[in-house]
Amino acid sequence: MNQSRKHAGNVARAWLATCLALAAAGFATDTRAEALRILMLGDSLTAGQGLASRDALPARLEAALRAHGLDVQVIDAGVSGDTTAGGLSRLDWALADQPHAVIVALGANDALRALDPAVARSNLDRLLATLSERDLPVLLTGMLAPRNLGPEYGARFDAIYPDLAERHGTLLYPFLLDGVATVAELNQSDGLHPNPAGVEVIAKRILPSVLCLALRTAHPAVMQLTTEPADCAGGG
């Protein structure tokens, strides 16, 4: 009888241990699922061309956001060489990750190829409209046309981003390469793509705008923020 009771006790303890282990695993999964997911849809500047994955902008942004206490995953949806047309065509695929917010960082290749600014404007307009329909907060990062394309082209292209940000009510970071463009020591040998030091400058400068984006999600993770940006009004 005692042996039988001992055996039954061992079985019960084993069953309880299994249940606790499964519950712990489920809790860990749920905790990770609660992380704020921010999709960064872009080109080689997002994909981190020429860099280790840990040095790409999405990875550095994620690290910076986590340093502010935010449980976040920044999803790298950058494709080198992509234009606004390419970004628009793969938007549905990128959204399969079910992000809570989106950073749109497209247009550099349109300008480098001197594509018609009206086409880039139309592509971005449609892209932002789709994100608005899905109730996804957006941070639009601007780009400037190369000055050698002339003042008329530059004026038409540069105006795309502030115009569309106002039209769609999105946050705007005026120039993604602010503080890095044309600075030799912050770029790779091609003079176009930032090196790790350049990426750190971009991440530091854009961080307040990304924090504002996070706050627009009203996601539970934003309650963990240790600091908040001073001003999230208007264009960010």
Side-chain angles (χ1 to χ4, degrees):
M1 179 67 73
N2 290 339
Q3 191 68 23
S4 176
R5 288 178 179 175
K6 183 177 180 181
H7 175 71
N10 288 339
V11 170
R13 282 190 290 271
W15 177 82
L16 179 60
T18 300
C19 289
L20 290 173
L22 290 172
F27 177 77
T29 301
D30 290 342
T31 298
R32 184 57 190 163
E34 291 172 359
L36 174 65
R37 294 185 300 279
I38 299 177
L39 178 77
M40 189 165 188
L41 182 70
D43 47 40
S44 58
L45 298 175
T46 297
Q49 182 170 318
L51 302 173
S53 59
R54 65 178 180 275
D55 292 322
L57 183 55
R60 300 320 306 153
L61 265 179
E62 181 176 308
L65 291 165
R66 286 185 171 275
H68 281 262
L70 189 62
D71 183 14
V72 63
Q73 178 188 12
V74 180
I75 302 165
D76 187 343
V79 173
S80 295
D82 221 355
T83 60
T84 54
L88 177 62
S89 69
R90 62 187 176 87
L91 179 60
D92 285 341
W93 170 81
L95 291 176
D97 285 316
Q98 298 184 321
H100 301 104
V102 180
I103 301 172
V104 177
L106 291 161
N109 289 311
D110 295 68
L112 288 174
R113 300 175 192 178
L115 301 180
D116 186 352
V119 175
R121 179 186 288 267
S122 176
N123 291 333
L124 288 172
D125 190 24
R126 290 168 59 193
L127 193 154
L128 293 174
T130 299
L131 295 175
S132 178
E133 290 169 0
R134 301 195 183 195
D135 294 322
L136 287 169
V138 175
L139 170 62
L140 179 63
T141 69
M143 188 53 58
L144 300 177
R147 299 299 96 171
N148 62 359
L149 294 177
E152 181 181 353
Y153 184 96
R156 292 176 61 210
F157 186 89
D158 297 354
I160 292 172
Y161 299 90
D163 287 355
L164 290 181
E166 182 176 2
R167 174 183 173 87
H168 292 278
T170 70
L171 292 166
L172 174 68
Y173 184 71
F175 182 38
L176 182 60
L177 294 175
D178 183 43
V180 173
T182 74
V183 181
E185 60 268 28
L186 296 179
N187 286 281
Q188 300 176 46
S189 58
D190 62 8
L192 297 174
H193 296 92
N195 58 27
V199 172
E200 281 297 331
V201 171
I202 296 172
K204 181 178 180 179
R205 293 196 176 205
I206 199 175
L207 179 61
S209 295
V210 181
L211 287 170
C212 289
L213 177 66
L215 289 171
R216 284 198 173 189
T217 67
H219 189 279
V222 301
M223 299 291 290
Q224 304 164 357
L225 282 174
T226 56
T227 59
E228 294 185 9
D231 182 16
C232 289

